Amino acid sequence: MATKRLKAAGPETDTGRPQPCEPCDALPACLERQLRYNLCREESRHQDLFHALAHGVKEQLLDSWRETRKRDAAGQQRQVAYLSLEFLMGRTLGNALLSLGISDDARKALLPYSVTLEDLESEEHDAGLGNGGLGRLAACFLDSCASMDIAATGYGIRYEYGMFAQKIVDGYQIERPDRWLKEGNPWEVRLHGQAVMVPFFGHTQSYVDRDGRRHMQWVGTQDVVAVPHDMPVPGYRNGRINTLRLWKAEATDDFDLEEFNQGDYAEAVARKNLAEQITMVLYPNDASENGKELRLRQQYFLSSASLQDLLRRHCARFGDNFADFHRHNVIQLNDTHPAIAVPELMRLLLDVYCLEWDEAWHITSHTMAYTNHTLLPEALECWSVRMLGHMLPRVLEIIYEINARYLDEAAHHWPGDGEMLARMSIIEEGAEPRVRMAYLAIVASFSVNGVAALHTELLRRGLFKDFHALWPHKFNNKTNGVTPRRWLMNANPRLSALIDRRLGSAWREDLSRLESLNAFTSDSDFIHAWREVKSVNKEALAALVERECHVQFDTAMMFDVQVKRIHEYKRQLLNILHVIHLYQRILSGDTHGMVPRCVLIGGKAAPGYAMAKLIIKLAGNVAHMVNSDPHVTPWLRFAFLPNYNVSAMEVIAPGTDLSEQISTAGKEASGTGNMKFMMNGALTIGTLDGANIEILEAVGPDNFFLFGLNADEVAALKPHYRPDEYIRHSVALEGVIELIRSGHFSLQEPGIFDPIVSAIESPWDQWMTAADFESYLSAQHQAAALYANKDAWTLCSIRNTAASGRFSSDATIARYRDEIWTGA
Ligand SMILES: *Cc1c(COP(=O)(O)O)cnc(C)c1O
């Protein structure tokens, strides 16, 4: 082929890092060839042009991708396998161009087609293979691993249908299927040659081998084929291309011959669809478990396929010598979703590779590392023993064996304490015995981490305190982070360019250098330029709101934003109550100390979560009243943004002034939305929860609006919580509740918001909305006062960006690398 390719990872420098890629001059030719021969199009829709460009860009990175694989296959680095049921990747094009450093080349290549790069970028369908924070964390981690030259592979599922698309009809959430693959996925490479078989059902039997050793066998299984579809994960200008390997379930070719011969050909073929159901759809539950059998099948399918892949690679290099497997591999479990990988690795080592138990356990327990993502009891996964025994009989036997041996060890620590052992058992006894997946993960892992300092502390003190007493060395904290490539450089090119002008570009490789921005906080030109950038970004956000919500946001007003999954613990309700309070004040003529603001809420509710869906409806109805009253709109505008996703956040974070991080303390494990906003110069109004605490510490109390009870206070208040007292002592809250109760926001459907009023007034309201209301109000008041002073606000904005370096996922991944992934 005549076109010149991007050079593969160049000669090694003495730091061992590969040289950056050469600039690309082949794109125009690639683009034309793609259009003409691959897509068979001459005149094109934007969608076709996007596909041509994406294929062209992928072609540019194939050589480096192959080189990376070869280098890693022979390298000494311990390889990371990041197992996750979710990867919320968003779009790939902008990120790939940025990493390869060929955005300008792409712009030039597009000149003859009279479209802009931005036009084509918006043609790409988000890869929405995740629910929220947990899935987006996995995506940020992949980006950081590649950019830090770490050999890491993401293993996930290629769902045909990702996170549902949210429509709002009459204020109610409607779910629409997300057929993200319908136009094809230009980035993926299907590798049928590397497919593996995953067994289900059947039964176990023992046999004695020629040497007289007894083994177990899992027979009569129904097998499903797992076919890898690889997506490239380019590092930032370093020549490394890591892999996200997504498994697709397909039927085997072996038909039921009997049925086949009896002429039931069509029936026999149709039955094969059952296998393919496994990877059909992502479960849309965030922070709550879903006990469905199909979900367990997905978990096992991912775990087994990924482990077989790792073992095959290991054997290709070392033969069947597994003694050092854990020195070459580490498996990071993203929550308990893939925790079934623990007994599955044991099964493969015992039954397929014929290792002895102790050897297999040594390897497994030095390979597995577990990340916990939540303290909410409804999110802790337990699988029924009955279901496991039916679907995965051999795996269940191994879980029992792991439990028996571990309880022996625990019994040495607490001799004679049967109650303690029952409490700590992996098997929860009862009418319907269940396997506690978190316990299984802890027992088998050499590292157990929480995702923010407070969260890890609460794990140690609360949920896992018995395990912490037994194995304190296993527990460690790794505060989450977000990738600055996507969330600052790509999402906010104007701010990035402004920072380049003051600091040079070194901050792009080391985000802690943003601290130097503090040196310019008395430079009025810089402050002015900073505010200009924010203002232009607010225009882009206002355009999004206008297009999606038909509400006009005015960039002169404060943009006050809360976007995240809708959940009672995240307290979108508290935010709405504040909006109603402002609305009441404006109607009564009391605008003293107020600043004009535009409030935006966005996020999806789990389809079965009635209260979350009702909160969306309340937001919509309040927005309608607010926006249709000309006395109100000069002071207040309110919109609910439908279908919040990664691409929307790339517009939202740069255009936000005030970031709402208002969860009930002790409930949000970390949060990462909070970090994206901070990086883009938003100020936070927040509780002492998750990583907010660390954000406050980094930026200082003068640049953060703190309110509410802390986690200990919430816990202490719980047994004697009296919301009626708080309501009685707050004229504001009383007024807001009365207005909702009066039917002012539900004239068409009287009484629909009664469950919300009852929830606030209930002494069992875990989220303690009433308790924090007054404190929230006064923090909002402070925010308004500061916003009225434009320069003072802008200074705080600069200080937030300047302090955001420690929330780069590069910093987080450096700690995973140094404290978890090295060693063994
Ligand atoms: C960052 C992000 C999240 C997580 O937000 P939190 O505020 O931490 O809950 C969820 N969804 C999307 C699309 C995101 O980009």
Side-chain angles (χ1 to χ4, degrees), residues 88 126 130-134 136-137 140 286 482 487 562-565 569-570 644-650 660-661 668 670-677:
L88 190 47
D126 269 42
N131 272 282
L134 174 150
R136 184 53 231 175
L137 184 77
C140 284
D286 184 69
V482 299
W487 296 114
Q562 185 178 26
V563 286
K564 48 184 72 241
R565 287 299 293 256
Y569 85 80
K570 292 178 183 277
Y644 170 58
N645 62 12
V646 170
S647 292
M649 186 55 161
E650 290 171 19
E660 299 267 352
Q661 306 299 336
E668 185 76 88
S670 163
T672 50
N674 46 6
M675 300 167 184
K676 298 167 201 165
F677 282 115

Side-chain angles (χ1 to χ4, degrees), residues 495-651:
L495 197 66
S496 302
L498 174 59
I499 297 170
D500 280 343
R501 288 202 290 280
R502 289 296 158 143
L503 302 186
S505 61
W507 66 274
R508 291 173 179 261
E509 309 268 350
D510 174 6
L511 210 70
S512 69
R513 291 173 184 258
L514 290 177
E515 298 240 7
S516 315
L517 289 172
N518 286 319
F520 301 100
T521 45
S522 43
D523 175 340
S524 62
D525 286 348
F526 182 66
I527 294 169
H528 186 256
W530 190 273
R531 189 156 58 237
E532 263 313 294
V533 167
K534 180 60 82 180
S535 173
V536 176
N537 290 335
K538 285 171 76 170
E539 273 165 32
L541 176 50
L544 176 73
V545 171
E546 163 91 68
R547 193 167 71 241
E548 300 293 328
C549 319
H550 313 289
V551 176
Q552 272 160 16
F553 274 14
D554 178 345
T555 58
M557 298 164 78
M558 177 205 275
F559 281 16
D560 170 352
V561 178
Q562 185 178 26
V563 286
K564 48 184 72 241
R565 287 299 293 256
I566 309 294
H567 201 295
E568 286 164 282
Y569 85 80
K570 292 178 183 277
R571 294 200 298 196
Q572 282 89 1
L573 182 55
L574 184 59
N575 190 348
I576 299 169
L577 298 182
H578 173 244
V579 170
I580 295 174
H581 169 67
L582 292 178
Y583 169 76
Q584 284 189 302
R585 280 184 55 196
I586 297 163
L587 287 182
S588 72
D590 168 22
T591 54
H592 176 75
M594 219 179 256
V595 301
R597 57 169 108 196
C598 298
V599 180
L600 184 67
I601 296 184
K604 294 172 187 178
Y609 190 169
M611 183 57 95
K613 290 180 131 175
L614 191 58
I615 290 169
I616 292 175
K617 174 64 175 164
L618 177 62
N621 284 18
V622 171
H624 180 74
M625 297 303 284
V626 165
N627 300 328
S628 55
D629 188 333
H631 299 293
V632 177
T633 51
W635 290 101
L636 181 65
R637 300 175 194 188
F638 183 29
F640 184 88
L641 179 78
N643 205 38
Y644 170 58
N645 62 12
V646 170
S647 292
M649 186 55 161
E650 290 171 19
V651 179

Side-chain angles (χ1 to χ4, degrees), residues 457-475:
E457 193 48 39
L458 294 174
L459 288 178
R460 288 187 177 120
R461 284 195 339 225
L463 195 58
F464 298 152
K465 74 170 184 306
D466 299 333
F467 293 94
H468 183 246
L470 191 56
W471 300 307
H473 56 277
K474 287 192 184 188
F475 288 79

